[in-house]
Amino acid sequence: AQSVAQPEDQVNVAEGNPLTVKCTYSVSGNPYLFWYVQYPNRGLQFLLKYITGDNLVKGSYGFEAEFNKSQTSFHLKKPSALVSDSALYFCAVRDSGSARQLTFGSGTQLTVLP
Amino acid sequence: DVKVTQSSRYLVKRTGEKVFLECVQDMDHENMFWYRQDPGLGLRLIYFSYDVKMKEKGDIPEGYSVSREKKERFSLILESASTNQTSMYLCASSLGEDLNTGELFFGEGSRLTVL
């Protein structure tokens, strides 16, 4: 079985400060990991993914994420937050050895305060 | 760019009605998925399909069925809508197994309200 946990329902950060949105996962095999963002009343947009290779993955809009196998984590980060980054963020995992589908976390609402 | 189109953005139906949600993708993707999104619960997989006329149950298939008669189209059917099916429904597609990392391309969503 595969699962994802996003321990924070809400993250608030001041504009210009660094932001982190946390994600931990559980799989039997090797994980494929994803971050998606959702703006109000819209579908999900892909931000970045980890498949293999470098543990630090860079994605859209200046976001990056670090894969940590020992801690089974894949936290999303950005060095300097923008008000326009305010949105709902979802982490997702796929067990590369056994699953066709992604399993999503419960989501984290990020609010960047001006 | 991949485009996944959901036919209705907003629907209001009555309890007991039959509801069809349609989804079409234009990138020749093998895999298609239906999720529902509820606050605090994230996205939960209802059904998915990896080929025409094939379907597999996801985590919450009860009360739903699906149809995939053509590769580009995947329909979600609520045979008899109930109020607990009020939700946002998201359709997604992805490449076939040989090339598939699992990355999904989503439609804009269909917000269904059952009265």
Side-chain angles (χ1 to χ4, degrees):
Chain A
Q2 55 189 31
S3 65
V4 174
Q6 293 182 244
E8 300 158 318
D9 293 335
Q10 175 84 37
V11 170
N12 296 326
V13 63
E15 188 174 27
N17 283 1
L19 69 87
T20 299
V21 182
K22 295 180 180 177
C23 171
T24 59
Y25 67 90
S26 175
V27 296
S28 301
N30 291 319
Y32 292 162
L33 293 154
F34 303 82
W35 277 100
Y36 287 83
V37 60
Q38 184 181 39
Y39 298 100
N41 298 312
R42 304 297 296 275
L44 274 67
Q45 297 178 30
F46 170 79
L47 272 181
L48 52 78
K49 64 184 176 185
Y50 171 82
I51 303 302
T52 187
D54 194 346
N55 288 345
L56 184 64
V57 178
K58 294 187 183 296
S60 306
Y61 313 121
F63 284 93
E64 58 189 29
E66 186 167 11
F67 171 63
N68 187 318
K69 188 172 184 177
S70 63
Q71 296 186 4
T72 61
S73 67
F74 189 57
H75 301 330
L76 181 70
K77 299 181 180 183
K78 188 174 182 181
S80 179
L82 300 173
V83 173
S84 57
D85 293 330
S86 298
L88 186 58
Y89 290 80
F90 290 98
C91 182
V93 69
R94 177 188 179 219
D95 187 327
S96 63
S98 63
R100 290 179 181 269
Q101 71 274 24
L102 297 189
T103 295
F104 285 82
S106 56
T108 298
Q109 180 66 49
L110 172 68
T111 301
V112 181
L113 305 168
Chain B
D1 282 351
V2 175
K3 189 164 185 180
V4 178
T5 304
Q6 294 183 231
S7 56
S8 303
R9 290 296 307 277
Y10 300 95
L11 303 93
V12 180
K13 299 292 182 181
R14 298 233 175 246
T15 300
E17 281 192 79
K18 191 169 185 176
V19 181
F20 292 89
L21 299 179
E22 305 284 343
C23 176
V24 176
Q25 52 93 4
D26 66 358
M27 279 299 290
D28 203 34
H29 282 174
E30 280 75 12
N31 301 327
M32 296 189 75
F33 305 81
W34 276 106
Y35 288 87
R36 65 176 281 177
Q37 181 183 2
D38 300 288
L41 297 177
L43 276 69
R44 293 178 292 167
L45 182 63
I46 304 171
Y47 267 98
F48 65 103
S49 167
Y50 53 87
D51 201 354
V52 175
K53 296 191 184 296
M54 303 297 288
K55 61 183 179 183
E56 289 197 23
K57 294 181 180 179
D59 299 318
I60 53 163
E62 296 78 18
Y64 303 94
S65 62
V66 290
S67 172
R68 191 160 181 208
E69 297 296 319
K70 294 184 178 181
K71 189 175 185 179
E72 67 271 19
R73 187 179 297 271
F74 192 36
S75 302
L76 181 68
I77 304 156
L78 288 68
E79 293 288 344
S80 178
S82 63
T83 55
N84 62 12
Q85 292 178 311
T86 292
S87 186
M88 170 72 92
Y89 291 89
L90 293 168
C91 176
S93 70
S94 69
L95 287 166
E97 197 57 31
D98 289 349
L99 300 173
N100 188 16
T101 62
E103 180 181 343
L104 295 176
F105 298 84
F106 282 88
E108 291 293 314
S110 298
R111 185 167 293 280
L112 172 66
T113 301
V114 183
L115 301 176

